[in-house]
Amino acid sequence: MEKMIIHGGAPLRGTVTLSGSKNAALPIMMASLLTSEPLVLSNVPRLRDVKTAMDLLTQLGVAARWIDDHRVELHAAKVTSHEASYELVKTMRASFVVLGPLLARTGRARVSTPGGCAIGARPVNLHIAGIRALGSKIQFRHGYVEAHAEKLTGGRIWLDSPSVGATENILMAAVTARGRTVIENAAREPEVQDLARVLVAMGAKISGAGTHVIEIEGVERLHGAEHEVIPDRIEAGSMMAAAAITGGDVTITNAPIEHLEAVATKLREAGVTVEANGKGVRIARNNGLKPVELRTLPYPGFPTDLQAQMMAMLTQADGSSVITETIFENRFMHAQELARMGADILMKGPTAVVRGPSKLSGAPVMATDLRASMGLIIAGLAAEHTTELSRIYHLDRGYEALDAKLSSLGARIERAQEQ
């Protein structure tokens, strides 16, 4: 077991390049099941979750290999298994999106239900309802979803909420279904749009990705393709918050600013400079931070995956900030750890009032989930003395070489073995 040691007080300065988006790469990797030809992906991040996805695909018969540091070839010439086991799905909930492409390719799939999640209930009922609407028979047995359909048929599907995973699962199931499928109240996230782009490159007929209505005209078969995964907007937002809390000046060379409008708006409200330039996006702060109010919402609203990082930053704002979490009911667990460092946070249901500026002091803290761990690192960058963050395996699921990137900007951060 490793921990991260952060010596606070150093402003971040310099230039950093983002990795590819984890949340885009994972479903795109599952799309390799839809063709017997190779799918070559570039800008794939070297992350624990990506390894889990490759392990799952390998178990299903896909030949999966790294071509170089960030390029992967996935070749599903034959699919030799129909089962995604509990051991892998429990490790990474995103594995459940294998259901749609596996069913579409082979006519049957047996996928473990993901089980509980630290940040709140994330049921798969929307996935199941959508797959059923395409003509699949589904049974629940021994903790597994068992789906069967000789040939899926297009249909009209309304999602009760714009679930990213459900949209992706239904989209992949529908691309080779007979006839036309319409997904209403679909998720609009950039990661969904990136999946649609690679599917179109493979021969799918899709329109409306990025809007609330996606239309798919089924085709007989898909072929291989090459695709570059989009940069990680959540890593970008995390770096923005880190630069802001330290009073730094950082340029992110490939930041997808068009995917970060809600984040940029809140940072500017807080008194942070956010400006596009020839090199990318520059984040700088020379004066104090101002309090803001924010509410997490589906895209294009403020992302729940940046709520913890923003909370950490707002501990240094001069006044009371109000954060309302509308996506996951348990996503304030990092607040207790921030309080151990001296943050003044009042919790009431789905709302947190962050009163600042607080004098943060380094302390031993524990990561409860992926994004909480980044929030605690951001707090540690601004704290006096040393912060020790344990359980950083959460961090390695979603941030590639984070300690090296932050060190290149002047942060004093290192890994060490737990005693």
Side-chain angles (χ1 to χ4, degrees):
M1 296 285 285
E2 289 185 315
K3 61 183 176 181
M4 202 76 83
I5 300 173
I6 308 109
H7 307 281
L12 302 187
R13 300 189 186 281
T15 301
V16 68
T17 300
L18 300 175
S19 296
S21 167
K22 171 184 85 84
N23 291 340
L26 298 177
I28 289 172
M29 292 173 71
M30 301 305 171
S32 65
L33 289 164
L34 290 166
T35 178
S36 61
E37 299 177 12
L39 178 64
V40 177
L41 305 175
S42 57
N43 201 32
V44 179
R46 288 268 190 172
L47 299 170
R48 181 172 296 192
D49 277 6
V50 170
K51 181 184 183 303
T52 300
M54 292 184 77
D55 290 345
L56 171 58
L57 290 168
T58 299
Q59 285 189 9
L60 296 174
V62 180
R65 70 184 183 98
W66 289 98
I67 300 172
D68 56 34
D69 279 352
H70 295 103
R71 292 180 75 224
V72 171
E73 182 185 71
L74 305 167
H75 190 187
K78 292 183 179 179
V79 178
T80 58
S81 173
H82 305 274
E83 180 172 313
S85 71
Y86 174 66
E87 290 305 313
L88 286 173
V89 178
K90 75 174 182 180
T91 304
M92 185 182 75
R93 292 186 60 89
S95 300
F96 195 74
V97 299
V98 78
L99 176 66
L102 186 58
L103 177 64
R105 174 75 182 276
T106 70
R108 59 194 176 102
R110 187 172 189 263
V111 181
S112 171
T113 53
C117 177
I119 58 175
R122 302 170 81 174
V124 295
N125 57 305
L126 296 180
H127 302 239
I128 301 305
I131 299 295
R132 272 191 173 134
L134 297 178
S136 175
K137 295 178 181 178
I138 292 180
Q139 292 181 305
F140 294 88
R141 293 184 184 178
H142 313 297
Y144 281 77
V145 174
E146 297 180 356
H148 178 267
E150 288 186 13
K151 181 65 176 178
L152 294 171
T153 304
R156 200 170 195 92
I157 298 164
W158 167 266
L159 296 179
D160 288 341
S161 64
S163 161
V164 172
T167 301
E168 292 168 339
N169 234 336
I170 297 164
L171 183 58
M172 287 190 278
V175 288
T176 55
R178 186 183 295 113
R180 182 167 169 266
T181 298
V182 178
I183 308 172
E184 296 186 89
N185 200 28
R188 300 168 59 187
E189 272 72 1
E191 296 78 16
V192 173
Q193 297 176 49
D194 207 33
L195 173 62
R197 276 191 290 272
V198 73
L199 291 172
V200 169
M202 295 166 70
K205 295 181 179 179
I206 301 168
S207 61
T211 75
H212 282 312
V213 180
I214 300 177
E215 298 186 20
I216 307 107
E217 196 66 46
V219 298
E220 193 64 32
R221 61 181 293 275
L222 298 185
H223 51 73
E226 294 193 13
H227 179 77
E228 182 176 341
V229 176
I230 58 173
D232 195 319
R233 65 188 173 105
I234 304 303
E235 184 187 9
S238 301
M239 289 293 185
M240 289 174 167
I245 198 172
T246 63
D249 192 332
V250 172
T251 295
I252 305 173
T253 58
N254 59 337
I257 192 64
E258 68 276 14
H259 300 158
L260 291 162
E261 301 243 347
V263 178
T265 296
K266 290 302 172 182
L267 287 170
R268 290 183 181 118
E269 283 182 22
V272 180
T273 297
V274 181
E275 60 181 20
N277 58 33
K279 296 180 180 179
V281 176
R282 176 174 172 252
I283 313 300
R285 177 173 72 84
N286 297 318
N287 302 311
L289 288 168
K290 303 171 187 175
V292 301
E293 293 188 14
L294 69 86
R295 174 183 295 266
T296 63
L297 291 167
Y299 186 84
F302 193 94
T304 181
D305 279 355
L306 286 171
Q307 179 255 103
Q309 300 90 311
M310 199 71 168
M311 180 182 286
M313 188 197 83
L314 291 172
T315 64
Q316 301 309 294
D318 186 9
S320 294
S321 298
V322 180
I323 300 174
T324 303
E325 173 60 56
T326 73
I327 310 296
F328 297 121
E329 66 271 21
N330 294 335
R331 208 164 202 176
F332 280 145
M333 290 186 290
H334 47 274
Q336 296 176 349
E337 298 298 292
L338 288 172
R340 286 175 48 76
M341 299 176 69
D344 183 356
I345 303 171
L346 176 65
M347 309 293 304
K348 189 172 183 180
T351 300
V353 179
V354 185
R355 296 181 287 209
S358 298
K359 187 175 182 179
L360 298 180
S361 177
V365 290
M366 180 178 68
T368 53
D369 63 72
L370 168 58
R371 305 307 175 183
S373 58
M374 187 66 207
L376 294 170
I377 283 181
I378 288 169
L381 292 172
E384 292 183 346
H385 306 301
T386 302
T387 298
E388 294 190 7
L389 174 66
S390 61
R391 297 174 66 179
I392 63 169
Y393 56 84
H394 287 295
L395 195 74
D396 292 334
R397 287 184 47 231
Y399 291 94
E400 182 182 23
L402 179 67
D403 44 333
K405 289 180 181 179
L406 289 174
S407 293
S408 74
L409 298 174
R412 294 174 293 175
I413 183 171
E414 59 189 333
R415 287 174 182 256
Q417 292 295 318
E418 293 272 17
Q419 298 298 317

